[in-house]
Every structure is written in C-alpha cells, then in structure tokens.
Amino acid sequence: MAEPHKIMTIFGTRPGAIKMAPIITAMRALPEQFEPVVVVTAQHRRLLDQVLNFFAIEPDFDLNTMQPRESLSERTSKMLHHLDNVINAAQPDMILVVGDASTTLAASLAAFYHKIPVGHVEAGLRTYDKYAPFPEEMNRRLTDVVSDLYFAPTKMSRDNLLAEHHSIENIFVTGNTSVDALGYTVRADYHHPVLDQIPKNHRILLLTMQRRENLGAPMRRVFHAIRDVVETNPDVELIYPVHPNPDVEAMAKDLLGKRDRIHLVEPLDVLDFHNFAARSYLILTDSGGIQEEAPTLNKPVLVLRSETERQEGVTAGTVRLVGTYPEEIQRAAFELLNDNREYKKMAQAPNPFGDGRAAARIVTAVQNYFDNEH
Ligand code: UDP
C-alpha cells in the first residue's frame, strides 16, 4: 500500500481559512490517500483563530508572524524565512495555497525555492490593474506564475489563465470552496442576541468594509450614505461587524455609533456571519469572498468598489458595483428596498461561483496528479 501524500496547506487570513477548511476536511476524510499538514502564518490572528476553532483545525505549524503596522516587505520576507524552516522540517509532497494574500505569495515562492509542486486554490482572478486591489492583484498573479495546478473557481478565471498561456491540463474549474463552507455553517435554527432584538418585520442591511484602498475619505462617504438610507427607511436596520483596524473603528463609532436601528458589533465568527448573511435582506460590502457567498444565500450585494475581480457576479446579476459615492449607493439601495421585482431579479439570479462541491473536485485533481506519476 502506497504512503499517503503529504499535502501542506498554508494560509494566514480569515478568508484563506474559510476557503481552505473544506479542502482540509475533505483530505482528512481520506487518510489512506492524504496526510494533510496545516501551516498558518496568522497574518490575521484573531480573525483566523475563530475559523480554525469552528472547523476543528489544529495547525501543525503556527508561525504567528503578525506584528502591528509592519510593512508589506517586512511581512512577506519574514514569512518566507519561517516557511523555509517549516518546509525543511515537514518535506511535503505538494503545497496548497489559496487566494491572494501576502501569505499566498510567500508560500508559493517558498515552495518554488524547494522545488515542491504548488496548487493554487482560487486561481485566475484578475482585475488587470496592478494596484487594485493592492497588493492582492499582484499576489495572485505572481502566485500563478509559480503554480503547477490551478483550481479556477469559474470558467472566467480559467480563461484568464489560458490567456496567460498556462496549460489547459493543469487547470481545473472547481467552483469556489467558500460556497462549500456555507454548507457547514448556515442553520435554520440559528439564534443570536443581536438578531433576536430586531423586530421580525424589519429588514436587515449587513455591511462590511475594510479594504486598504477604501480607508479614509471613501469610507467616510459610504458611512454617511448608508446612515441616510437607514434614517429614511424606518423598517431598515443596519448591522455592521467592524473590522479591528483602529482607524476603521474610530470612524464607525463617530459616524454610525449610538444611532437608532444601527448595530455596530465586533467582527463576527464565521458561523455567525454566515447566518447573519442568511437572515439579511441586502448586503453592502467591499469584500471579495462575500460576493461569492451571498448568491448561494439568495442575497443581493452592493459592492462598495469601482471594479471587481469577480465579474461573474455582475454578469449573472447577483451583485452590483456601486463604488463609494453616495448617489449610486443610495440609488441602488432605495431601488432594492422599494422595487420588489428588481429585488427578486437579483436575489434569484443563478450563483456563478459554485455548487458546494469544489473541495471534492480539488482533492480528486490532487490525487490524479500523483496517479499520473508525478
Ligand atoms: N466574514 C466573517 N465575519 C465577519 C465578516 C466576514 O466571518 O464579520 C467572512 C465572510 O463570510 C467571508 C470572509 O470573511 O468568507 C471575507 O473576508 P474579508 O472581507 O476579510 O476578505 P476578502 O473576501 O475581501 O478577501
């Protein structure tokens, strides 16, 4: 009987953990084929740990690299250095990375230096704008240059990879594993004190906002715009899990704090966030991952950015890009609050991001890679 393949997964952020967890779970269910080795860089310590707890994942290596206010160069070089030791110690047969974080780039580069094959989960997303989102666009493009297997969530991301001359045999259209994650989290009997205090006939707007390029003036404009939407619609309640960035926290408190029907809460655990999303009427966000998750829950999304690497949602009609200026945000929010036909059109558009079976496809492709005598 052949030895199981030692597959090292390396991630460091909350979305990275949410997207890798279904793959680790799928590999654990096949112990004769796979020996998963979990490495976390803890790029986002607190936000990462709650996801690990929920999925009962205990890292084999925890680099705990995060320092407040370090530069991107410091962060990436420190991770590269630590990953060298981890790879030497564990000697994996393959390394899986996910998404577009600094961890993704550092881990794929470390794998390349050790001549270990790399599989990129969520490969092929592009804006083709070097600085938007920053540094994620370059993290994912550089990662794809050194990867061997590409797990593209959609046909559009596959086509981006083909246009960059990656070989079709190495690209697998799998769906996004964040859709798989919802299968573990969303529950019909879910309760939470914040949700329990909201009258049943009120509609919940769920907001998340934290991207680097939105800090400062864009965030201020958005908060003002959303505050107006809540004030002029008496059956609307806003829930905003505030990201633990001190600048974001201060502005949220200043512009949205202590107001009727506005609930500022701590960042929610993944179980809570997914269930809050499932109970909401409309989601406003600058997050990438939430654009993929919301259509599974049949929730329209207003994207607080002027571009997206997830164009599939725009094409399918599940999300709308509204930028960060009040006029467009308010026009779209008012329409979706008042025009039931428009609302239904968005809420019921088909989900282009997957069917919840991405992890199984990825694990099969990894097994086939070894079966084909690599
Ligand atoms: N999320 C969460 N708690 C929150 C807000 C978001 O668990 O309070 C989850 C959300 O479901 C999604 C991911 O975190 O899976 C999105 O993370 P983020 O916005 O940090 O990153 P991005 O998706 O833009 O990479």
Side-chain angles (χ1 to χ4, degrees):
M1 178 85 200
E3 288 283 297
H5 307 295
K6 201 185 250 195
I7 311 295
M8 180 179 276
T9 54
I10 307 180
F11 52 95
T13 63
R14 173 176 64 191
I18 293 172
K19 288 170 181 177
M20 204 60 106
I23 301 172
I24 296 168
T25 305
M27 287 196 293
R28 276 182 179 169
L30 299 167
E32 287 176 7
Q33 283 164 258
F34 300 107
E35 180 189 342
V37 178
V38 177
V39 181
V40 298
T41 60
Q43 199 183 320
H44 297 164
R45 177 83 266 172
R46 191 147 63 99
L47 300 186
L48 174 79
D49 286 346
Q50 48 92 5
V51 183
L52 296 177
N53 289 341
F54 177 76
F55 284 97
I57 294 173
E58 234 182 88
D60 298 283
F61 297 90
D62 190 333
L63 307 185
N64 203 15
T65 56
M66 182 63 172
Q67 293 296 326
R69 304 208 180 270
E70 66 194 343
S71 72
L72 289 171
S73 318
E74 279 169 326
R75 179 184 298 175
T76 306
S77 52
K78 197 168 22 163
M79 286 196 283
L80 203 49
H81 171 73
H82 287 298
L83 287 170
D84 230 12
N85 298 333
V86 167
I87 293 171
N88 278 331
Q91 302 280 329
D93 299 313
M94 179 181 282
I95 290 180
L96 296 181
V97 298
V98 56
D100 50 21
S102 302
T103 301
T104 317
L105 173 60
S108 54
L109 190 54
F112 167 69
Y113 287 154
H114 287 261
K115 297 195 175 151
I116 294 169
V118 184
H120 186 190
V121 177
E122 201 182 56
L125 276 67
R126 300 288 184 265
T127 58
Y128 290 110
D129 179 344
K130 185 173 171 182
Y131 293 109
F134 173 83
E136 288 85 358
E137 174 70 5
M138 274 300 134
N139 286 344
R140 58 194 171 215
R141 272 159 75 175
L142 294 167
T143 296
D144 283 336
V145 173
V146 291
S147 292
D148 299 274
L149 292 180
Y150 301 87
F151 303 113
T154 65
K155 288 189 178 137
M156 189 181 278
S157 39
R158 176 200 60 194
D159 291 346
N160 290 337
L161 292 163
L162 290 174
E164 292 168 20
H165 305 290
H166 296 294
S167 163
I168 196 159
E169 293 94 73
N170 302 329
I171 305 174
F172 304 86
V173 179
T174 60
N176 200 303
T177 53
S178 59
V179 176
D180 300 27
L182 290 165
Y184 293 89
T185 51
V186 176
R187 296 171 186 170
D189 60 354
Y190 175 83
H191 278 283
H192 190 281
V194 172
L195 294 180
D196 290 346
Q197 67 179 330
I198 294 178
K200 291 268 170 297
N201 58 347
H202 281 195
R203 294 181 289 179
I204 295 171
L205 306 190
L206 184 61
L207 168 68
T208 82
M209 194 171 195
Q210 69 197 49
R211 294 197 89 86
R212 226 171 249 266
E213 58 271 34
N214 274 340
L215 299 180
M219 188 168 280
R220 180 174 294 279
R221 291 195 295 267
V222 170
F223 287 177
H224 272 294
I226 295 178
R227 194 169 81 186
D228 281 355
V229 172
V230 177
E231 277 169 5
T232 48
N233 289 277
D235 73 331
V236 161
E237 311 251 352
L238 177 73
I239 302 180
Y240 176 22
V242 183
H243 196 266
N245 168 329
D247 299 335
V248 177
E249 280 176 335
M251 194 180 290
K253 252 200 194 143
D254 180 29
L255 296 177
L256 300 172
K258 296 209 172 66
R259 286 174 180 267
D260 281 351
R261 294 180 285 107
I262 296 188
H263 312 268
L264 299 184
V265 297
E266 297 273 306
L268 293 167
D269 286 4
V270 61
L271 169 74
D272 296 317
F273 187 80
H274 284 178
N275 283 285
F276 273 48
R279 296 291 171 83
S280 65
Y281 179 82
L282 172 64
I283 299 174
L284 297 107
T285 187
D286 62 358
S287 152
I290 296 168
Q291 294 173 55
E292 295 149 357
E293 293 166 351
T296 304
L297 304 169
N298 297 115
K299 305 299 170 185
V301 181
L302 299 182
V303 181
L304 304 161
R305 293 167 56 178
S306 49
E307 39 52 50
T308 179
E309 57 289 87
R310 292 165 172 87
Q311 193 59 37
E312 297 89 337
V314 178
T315 308
T318 60
V319 309
R320 259 193 228 173
L321 288 185
V322 292
T324 57
Y325 285 92
E327 207 172 281
E328 200 45 45
I329 295 169
Q330 290 177 341
R331 191 185 2 224
F334 283 121
E335 186 176 50
L336 291 171
L337 286 167
N338 296 309
D339 183 339
N340 202 30
R341 236 174 44 131
E342 268 312 302
Y343 181 84
K344 275 205 170 131
K345 215 162 81 187
M346 274 188 91
Q348 290 168 6
N351 180 3
F353 296 108
D355 58 3
R357 287 185 292 150
R361 294 189 184 99
I362 291 169
V363 165
T364 303
V366 170
Q367 181 61 47
N368 289 343
Y369 176 87
F370 291 108
D371 290 347
N372 294 337
E373 296 194 13
H374 278 96

